[in-house]
Structure formats: C-alpha cells, structure tokens
Amino acid sequence: MDRTYCNVKNTYISLSRGQGGIFYEPVDPALRKETGILLMHSDSDYYGFIPAPELASRGFTVLASNVEKPCMTLDKKLLDVKRGVEYLRKIPGLQRVVLLGHSGGATLMSAYQCVAENGPEIFQDDRKIVKLSDIGPLPKADAVMFLDSNWGNGVMTLLSLEPGISDNATSRNLKPGFDLFAPENGFSPEGADYSPEFIRNYQRGQEKRNEELIGQALERLGELEQDRGRFEDDEPFVIAGASQIAPNNKMFPQDTKLLSHTIHEWPLIHEDGSVTREVIYSLRKPHFNKNMVTVNEMATNVSTVKTYLTNSAVRTRDFHYDESRIYGIDWDSSYCCTPGNVKGISSPMLIMGMTGSYEFLAAEAIYENAKSEDKTMAFVRGASHNFTPQQDAESYPGEFGDTVKNCFDYVGKWLDELVSPVA
C-alpha cells in the first residue's frame, strides 16, 4: 500500500562523527504528544524505516538513529543509544522517552535498558561468556517496545550456523548428513518436512559448532589480554557459514511446522481491527530454497574476536526446538539475546509479533522472561517482519488488510496510555 505522511516533517541530525539520525515530528506542533521514541537497530540505520513516520503521524516525536559502526562491540553500541536518549531528553515538551527495538534492534535496546535500570554490573557476573566493560551509568528510558523482535543476535547466529563446516576458513567439502536442501532429507520447494531424527542431528551439529567457536574466540581473547594477540586491541575473527542475515537462517524457515505456534492464547489483531484471544499460528510460507553457505558475501560472518563474543555468542545445553519453543539456551551467559536481557527490565513493556514473519514466536519467550509486571503482548495477523502484509501468505490480494495501520494504531494506543514517571 502506498503511504504518504503529509502531516510529518523530518530533519537529519548529527549525534557524533559517526552517528546520525532522522528526527520525525508532526508538522503541526499542537498535535505533538509528550512521548519521544528512539528507534535503532543493532547493525544498520533505520533512517526511513516505517515505524518512524507512522508514529510521528500519530503525534509522537521519533528519532530514527544508527550505530556508529556495525562491527563495534555491543558495549560501544550501548553508548550510541545513550546519545539518542540524551538528545530526546533535552527536547522541550517531551515528558517521557520510549525505546523501540525491532528484529535485532531489540537486542540492542533490551541490553541498554537492562543496564540503565541495574548498572553495568548486571552483565558482569562470572556466568557471562565475556563481561560487559565499565561503560558507566546510562539514562533510563521510561518504557520499551519490542516489535517483531527475534530471539537476539546470539541465538540468530546459532540458528544460522552451518553444522557441516569443519574449517572456518572455507565452506567447501561440507560434512555429509546436514544438507537441508536434499530431497532425501525431507526438502521440497513447497515446504520441507524433515524427520525428527534429522532435525535433532542438525540441531546437535549447530550446538557443537557453536561451542567450538566460542572456545576458539575465548582462546584468542586470552592471547589479546596477555598482549600476545595479532594486534594490540582486537583481531579478525572470520567464520564461514555463520552470518545471521535472513537467507542464512536454517531449518525452521524451510520446515514451517517448526516454531509455528504459541503455547498460550494471546490477543490477535485482525484485518478489520478487531481483536480476539487465541493460540497464535504462523501464516508464513517456506522461505529460502538454496543453501547460501558457499557464497562468501552472503554467508560469512566477518567479525572480530571481541565483537563476536559480545554481539553473537550465547551458550547452550541440549539446544533444540520444536513447534512452539526453543530449549537449552543459557540466557544468562550473554547480553546479546533479548529474552535474557528482559529479565532485568522493570519498565512498562510492549511486545508484538507479526504472524507472517518466521521470527514472530520470539515474542512469547520475551514476554515469559520479562521482569516487568506492566507488560502487554499482541500479534498482528498476516503482517510481515517489516509490518506490511506478507503477500506470499495471502490466499487472495488484500486478505490481511492494512497491517501497518493495525499495528501502529495498537502501538499508538498503548503509548497514549503510558503513565510512567519521568526517569
């Protein structure tokens, strides 16, 4: 659907040498509400992303910003969020600031708010793979929103690992037994149907490789800390078959019976705006019919030792998943996974999932782990990961209605009802 925002104006601002943002606000100052929203992703900019103009058109002030460098450690990215929060706090008339994390942006925003509420020490216990550095205090936001968050960058890296790789420098000569796209293993372009045995073997292979990678990175970190690294500050850490971008997500996007429905009943927003309460089912179609692992540009995680350990690593114990849940994730082992970070967040929280997206089910894990007693969850029927209708899931054009309007009308109503005090 073509969307115009005649009642919204936007201005580019600079927060630092490498961090900018687009500042969205209503054209008519009289329509401005008292809530400012910071929208950021963990790895890219969200300058023109649809939540910003949608919420500004409803009277909210929105700063859509970026991180200075996607290759930075998560620790440094938290300081980019701090600059955005401080910018909004200085705007006259704004009484509260709300963080909006979408997809992997929820990793960043949840880690930020958890530290802001509890101090850096919340992520400095001995259970962590690596401890958060002493980044100092962070100004709290008054509330947080996680809209179609995934399970966090650590888990998404795990879910994208190619278990057939034995040498991180190459994706050639893959080990047999892990080919997701072989018909004999259950693959079909119309939708895979993998056997329970194949699924468990694949998940075990991913878990084994994940632990090996963490071990290798920690070994190199030890050398760096003893001034025996390849460089003084950090060193490259390149992993074939480990990029978490969507075409590399493995198994559950191909086999739609996996991670396909919630355990409990939740509000579901329908195309006409009505809301029912029911077990939520994914409407997604199978995605990706080719293994991109042999394409360096697509599938290789080009990182550094420290960036990998803070941004992409999480420990597991008997990792597996079925139709409704991921099991065996040690949420307390890292701070790069939203369901773990929300354990320390007490602020009001809105969690929403898009049923046309294959990441929608992370919403239930986030809700169940969230410390906040003031938490709301809902799903939008037929919405894609980016909030527009998931057209390949429609049985006829227009079946899902205006999913963008339905989603952000709900968000706007929740924001209007916020009564949290100024931090």
Side-chain angles (χ1 to χ4, degrees):
M1 298 179 181
D2 183 33
R3 316 194 76 83
T4 57
Y5 303 97
C6 298
N7 62 339
V8 173
K9 61 180 179 180
N10 61 76
T11 309
Y12 176 81
I13 65 167
S14 177
L15 296 172
S16 71
R17 186 171 66 176
Q19 183 185 7
I22 305 296
F23 186 72
Y24 293 84
E25 57 186 329
V27 170
D28 184 352
L31 299 179
R32 178 184 288 177
K33 299 178 180 179
E34 297 178 336
T35 299
I37 300 163
L38 178 61
L39 168 64
M40 292 179 67
H41 193 273
S42 58
D43 301 306
S44 59
D45 74 68
Y46 266 170
Y47 286 1
F49 194 36
I50 202 165
E54 281 292 326
L55 290 170
S57 71
R58 289 164 172 80
F60 302 101
T61 299
V62 184
L63 175 57
S65 187
N66 66 305
V67 293
E68 283 192 342
K69 297 177 182 178
C71 59
M72 297 189 307
T73 63
L74 183 52
D75 305 36
K76 293 180 179 178
K77 293 177 182 180
L78 298 181
L79 299 178
D80 292 344
V81 181
K82 177 183 180 181
R83 278 191 286 269
V85 172
E86 290 175 336
Y87 184 90
L88 288 173
R89 287 286 186 210
K90 295 176 183 177
I91 296 175
L94 293 185
Q95 298 299 311
R96 61 186 63 87
V97 172
V98 177
L99 304 180
L100 197 169
H102 162 261
S103 191
T107 299
L108 177 65
M109 295 308 210
S110 62
Y112 177 91
Q113 186 68 4
C114 187
V115 174
E117 291 189 20
N118 302 280
E121 58 270 21
I122 190 71
F123 294 145
Q124 293 175 339
D125 61 280
D126 291 337
R127 192 166 174 178
K128 297 293 181 290
I129 298 171
V130 289
K131 299 178 182 180
L132 177 69
S133 56
D134 291 320
I135 60 174
L138 302 176
K140 291 188 293 185
D142 299 292
V144 291
M145 301 187 294
F146 303 121
L147 307 187
D148 215 48
S149 167
N150 56 36
W151 289 268
N153 293 337
V155 170
M156 296 312 295
T157 299
L158 169 66
L159 293 170
S160 301
L161 283 180
E162 173 56 59
I165 285 180
S166 55
D167 180 354
N168 288 332
T170 177
S171 64
R172 298 295 186 185
N173 304 314
L174 297 177
K175 292 183 287 187
F178 297 111
D179 189 352
L180 288 174
F181 303 95
E184 60 268 26
N185 289 332
F187 178 76
S188 167
E190 289 73 40
D193 185 15
Y194 303 122
S195 69
E197 294 77 18
F198 179 81
I199 290 170
R200 288 298 287 122
N201 185 55
Y202 197 91
Q203 293 166 342
R204 289 189 185 102
Q206 289 183 307
E207 180 172 38
K208 182 175 183 292
R209 188 165 182 233
N210 182 63
E211 286 301 312
E212 290 172 349
L213 289 169
I214 292 173
Q216 292 165 15
L218 287 173
E219 180 180 354
R220 294 312 309 163
L221 179 63
E223 293 295 292
L224 284 161
E225 291 175 342
Q226 296 297 318
D227 199 25
R228 294 194 298 263
R230 299 183 179 109
F231 299 89
E232 291 181 2
D233 54 344
D234 202 351
E235 60 183 50
F237 194 67
V238 179
I239 316 167
S243 171
Q244 63 157 307
I245 62 173
N248 298 311
N249 299 163
K250 294 178 169 62
M251 195 158 68
F252 71 101
Q254 291 81 40
D255 190 336
T256 57
K257 71 174 178 287
L258 297 169
L259 300 176
S260 61
H261 64 85
T262 62
I263 295 174
H264 305 291
E265 295 182 347
W266 302 103
L268 177 65
I269 305 168
H270 294 266
E271 53 273 12
D272 61 358
S274 63
V275 180
T276 59
R277 189 175 181 89
E278 56 193 83
V279 171
I280 310 298
Y281 285 84
S282 170
L283 301 177
R284 73 185 192 269
K285 298 297 183 182
H287 283 187
F288 319 126
N289 57 15
K290 181 182 186 299
N291 194 346
M292 303 304 297
V293 69
T294 58
V295 182
N296 174 64
E297 184 178 4
M298 290 292 293
T300 302
N301 183 340
V302 180
S303 187
T304 71
V305 168
K306 293 180 180 179
T307 298
Y308 167 76
L309 288 170
T310 63
N311 298 19
S312 304
V314 63
R315 288 202 184 277
T316 62
R317 184 175 182 179
D318 190 25
F319 157 71
H320 62 285
Y321 55 88
D322 55 23
E323 294 180 359
S324 297
R325 190 184 294 274
I326 293 179
Y327 303 88
I329 304 297
D330 183 357
W331 299 116
D332 297 321
S333 67
S334 71
Y335 45 99
C336 60
C337 295
T338 306
N341 295 341
V342 296
K343 289 183 177 183
I345 298 178
S346 300
S347 303
M349 186 179 302
L350 173 64
I351 307 159
M352 295 185 72
M354 310 297 132
T355 69
S357 162
Y358 61 77
E359 296 175 329
F360 86 111
L361 198 57
E364 191 167 52
I366 294 168
Y367 186 94
E368 290 176 344
N369 280 280
K371 180 181 178 181
S372 175
E373 295 182 359
D374 182 359
K375 52 187 177 181
T376 301
M377 186 154 79
F379 293 82
V380 182
R381 183 176 185 272
S384 69
H385 186 50
N386 291 329
F387 310 111
T388 56
Q390 186 67 46
Q391 293 182 341
D392 67 355
E394 291 180 329
S395 56
Y396 57 89
E399 177 185 1
F400 302 139
D402 191 341
T403 55
V404 173
K405 181 179 185 301
N406 290 340
C407 177
F408 291 100
D409 280 353
Y410 193 93
V411 174
K413 183 175 184 294
W414 183 83
L415 288 168
D416 284 339
E417 293 173 352
L418 270 181
V419 292
S420 58
V422 176

